[in-house]
Amino acid sequence: MASIDRSLVAHLPLFAGLSNEDLTEVLREARSIRVPRNAAVFEQGADASSFFLLLHGHVRATKTTPTGDQIVVRYVVPGDTFGVAPAIGLQHYPATATAVDDSIVLAWPSAAWPRLVARFPSLAANTLQTVGQRLQETHARVIEMSTQQVEQRIAHALLRLANQAGRKLDHGVQIDFPISRQDIAQMTGTTLHTVSRILSGWEQLGLVESGRQKIVLREPHKIVLLAEQSSGDNASSRS
């Protein structure tokens, strides 16, 4: 197997504090995997045999509830780690990770995790920082789901995605990976009908532009105002 060029990843948060020699050693245990669009990197409940770093593309993490509903937990962008079950003491993956476009990941065997973090403690510290940031994001989403109207939740979701993976255009900011209205519904705890109604209304106002698997924020600052308005200013339901 060809060695992985460390210059491609040396700047990533996971490897902060590692010397070139240390990084070479860490990468020696990884393998590069191409994941085609719509293919699963791993499935919820499967043995957590590997942990991953996304090099190219985008990955959607979804969780299926006991009643069969799907929730979009988060989107993974290049440079992000995911599937780090061994870092948080899990034996099985808590969610399913699916490539939303053709993607390339680095994968390490989970069995290597204790050895790597013992030898390179900064790996553990960097991963813990990432897990902490995601926990804060999760807390923010729980608060949104509990206290905000659906229009605010959708606005927050679009802003979060644009901040994470936005591409500037002459006429706004495009979420730079395939995303559907159903995905937005599963992120915000509402229905496809409600998301379609709200986005269609925003399109008529010139705030967004949406098509098949594409969303452009034409007026991001106005979306910010929608996200930050008080519940009393919003007549939308929480359904």
Side-chain angles (χ1 to χ4, degrees), residues 39-82:
V41 183
F42 53 79
E43 299 278 358
Q44 179 177 332
D47 290 342
S49 57
S50 300
F51 60 96
F52 305 88
L53 173 71
L54 183 63
L55 291 183
H56 174 79
H58 300 85
V59 169
R60 179 177 60 244
T62 57
K63 191 170 182 67
T64 303
T65 69
T67 58
D69 295 324
Q70 271 204 340
I71 300 170
V72 175
V73 178
R74 65 184 301 268
Y75 281 86
V76 181
V77 299
D80 281 356
T81 52
F82 65 107

Side-chain angles (χ1 to χ4, degrees), residues 215-231:
I215 298 178
V216 178
L217 279 61
R218 296 182 62 90
E219 299 279 358
H221 63 289
K222 292 185 179 179
I223 302 297
V224 171
L225 293 177
L226 287 170
E228 294 180 348
Q229 66 186 348
S230 66
S231 297

Side-chain angles (χ1 to χ4, degrees), residues 140-155:
R141 288 180 62 182
V142 169
I143 292 172
E144 290 170 14
M145 296 284 284
S146 302
T147 65
Q148 294 184 350
Q149 306 287 354
V150 64
E151 189 172 57
Q152 292 174 278
R153 302 200 305 263
I154 292 171

Side-chain angles (χ1 to χ4, degrees), residues 129-143:
Q129 183 175 17
T130 297
V131 171
Q133 291 170 347
R134 292 176 188 170
L135 185 59
Q136 289 181 330
E137 292 172 6
T138 300
H139 285 171
R141 288 180 62 182
V142 169
I143 292 172

Side-chain angles (χ1 to χ4, degrees), residues 35-216:
V35 186
R37 180 179 179 179
N38 296 327
V41 183
F42 53 79
E43 299 278 358
Q44 179 177 332
D47 290 342
S49 57
S50 300
F51 60 96
F52 305 88
L53 173 71
L54 183 63
L55 291 183
H56 174 79
H58 300 85
V59 169
R60 179 177 60 244
T62 57
K63 191 170 182 67
T64 303
T65 69
T67 58
D69 295 324
Q70 271 204 340
I71 300 170
V72 175
V73 178
R74 65 184 301 268
Y75 281 86
V76 181
V77 299
D80 281 356
T81 52
F82 65 107
V84 286
I88 53 178
L90 298 180
Q91 300 298 314
H92 302 89
Y93 295 118
T96 295
T98 305
V100 297
D101 46 17
D102 292 340
S103 302
I104 301 174
V105 302
L106 290 183
W108 286 263
S110 291
W113 175 258
R115 181 174 66 257
L116 288 173
V117 297
R119 185 167 181 183
F120 309 111
S122 61
L123 279 179
N126 296 339
T127 302
L128 181 60
Q129 183 175 17
T130 297
V131 171
Q133 291 170 347
R134 292 176 188 170
L135 185 59
Q136 289 181 330
E137 292 172 6
T138 300
H139 285 171
R141 288 180 62 182
V142 169
I143 292 172
E144 290 170 14
M145 296 284 284
S146 302
T147 65
Q148 294 184 350
Q149 306 287 354
V150 64
E151 189 172 57
Q152 292 174 278
R153 302 200 305 263
I154 292 171
H156 274 294
L158 294 182
L159 291 169
R160 192 176 290 118
L161 292 172
N163 182 64
Q164 185 182 29
R167 178 164 59 93
K168 289 186 177 180
L169 307 175
D170 291 338
H171 59 288
V173 178
Q174 179 174 329
I175 297 171
D176 200 23
F177 55 83
I179 186 167
S180 69
R181 293 183 174 190
Q182 182 64 45
D183 294 330
I184 298 297
Q186 292 175 349
M187 289 184 70
T188 55
T190 188
T191 64
L192 174 59
H193 172 77
T194 299
V195 171
S196 295
R197 173 174 57 80
I198 289 173
L199 289 185
S200 294
W202 289 356
E203 284 191 274
Q204 292 176 4
L205 295 172
L207 303 182
V208 300
E209 174 186 318
S210 64
R212 181 175 174 79
Q213 301 276 299
K214 182 184 77 170
I215 298 178
V216 178

